[in-house]
Amino acid sequence: MVDLSSITGLAVGGSFTCAWLSDGTGYCWGLNRNGRLGDGTEQNRSSPTRVRGLTDAAGLSAGGGFACAWRTDGVAFCWGSNNLGQLGDGTTIERFVPGPVPGLGVVASLEAGSGHTCARLRDGTLWCWGTNRQGGLGDSTTTDRVVPVQVVGLRDVDGVTAGFNHTCAWRTDGRIWCWGGNEFGQLGDGTTTNRTTPTELRW
C-alpha cells in the first residue's frame, strides 16, 4: 500500500497517468500500448503499477505514448512508444521498461510533449529529441532526431514545456522563447510562421 503522503508529483500523458514518490520510485496506470506504463508489459492497468527499475527519480513527465524521468544524479530515462525517436536512445524501438538517454549532461528537469522531449541541463542549456516536423526541437532543422540535440542559441534556461509540435522555455531573466509549429500563433511572436529556432515572446 502506497503512503499517499509520499507522492511528490503527477504527470498525465496520452490516456495514462504517472506518479513519483519521495522514495524515488514511479507508478503509472491506464493505457499501456507500446509499454508506456514502464512495467515490462502492454497490459492496461486500472490501478497504479510500479515502473520497473526506476529508482532515485527526481521527477517524471508523461508524453503522448511514452514517459521520461530524471534521477537525482541527473541521468534521464525514457520508455514507451519510440516511432519518432522520442526516447532519445538512438533507435526507434519501443521500450517496455526505462532505458537511459545517452549523450546528455546532468539533467535538472525534462518535459515530454506529444512526440518529442526536451531536457534542461544544470548548466542552463536545453536539449531536445524526437519528432521535428515543424521545428519543435529548435535545432534550426525539421529533421527528426533519435538522440538529443542542443536548442540553438538558448542559454540560462530556467524551465521548459513541450506541446504537440512546439516548445517554449523561460530563462532566468524571465524572458520567454518559443519555437516549432505556429499555425495558430502559439509561439506568441506576433506571426503564424513556424520557427526552427527560438523566437522571443512578444508581449
Side-chain angles (χ1 to χ4, degrees), residues 106-144:
V106 182
V107 175
S109 67
L110 59 77
E111 181 77 11
S114 177
H116 73 292
T117 309
C118 292
R120 176 177 65 93
L121 305 190
R122 291 183 189 170
D123 65 6
T125 61
L126 191 64
W127 297 69
C128 300
W129 57 92
T131 185
N132 198 24
R133 183 177 58 191
Q134 294 181 305
L137 302 187
D139 68 343
S140 79
T141 79
T142 54
T143 302
D144 293 348

Side-chain angles (χ1 to χ4, degrees), residues 20-141:
W20 63 100
L21 311 186
S22 58
D23 65 1
T25 59
Y27 290 79
C28 296
W29 57 96
L31 179 67
N32 200 15
R33 186 180 302 146
N34 310 114
R36 67 191 70 184
L37 302 187
D39 66 350
T41 77
E42 284 192 287
Q43 181 179 340
N44 296 339
R45 306 288 186 177
S46 59
S47 59
T49 182
R50 185 167 175 176
V51 178
R52 208 161 85 185
L54 184 63
T55 59
D56 299 319
L60 190 153
S61 184
F66 69 104
C68 295
W70 67 98
R71 294 192 317 205
T72 54
D73 62 4
V75 177
F77 290 80
C78 296
W79 61 94
S81 181
N82 196 27
N83 60 311
L84 302 169
Q86 56 265 55
L87 303 188
D89 63 359
T91 78
T92 54
I93 300 169
E94 60 191 19
R95 305 291 183 186
F96 291 2
V97 295
V101 180
L104 277 175
V106 182
V107 175
S109 67
L110 59 77
E111 181 77 11
S114 177
H116 73 292
T117 309
C118 292
R120 176 177 65 93
L121 305 190
R122 291 183 189 170
D123 65 6
T125 61
L126 191 64
W127 297 69
C128 300
W129 57 92
T131 185
N132 198 24
R133 183 177 58 191
Q134 294 181 305
L137 302 187
D139 68 343
S140 79
T141 79

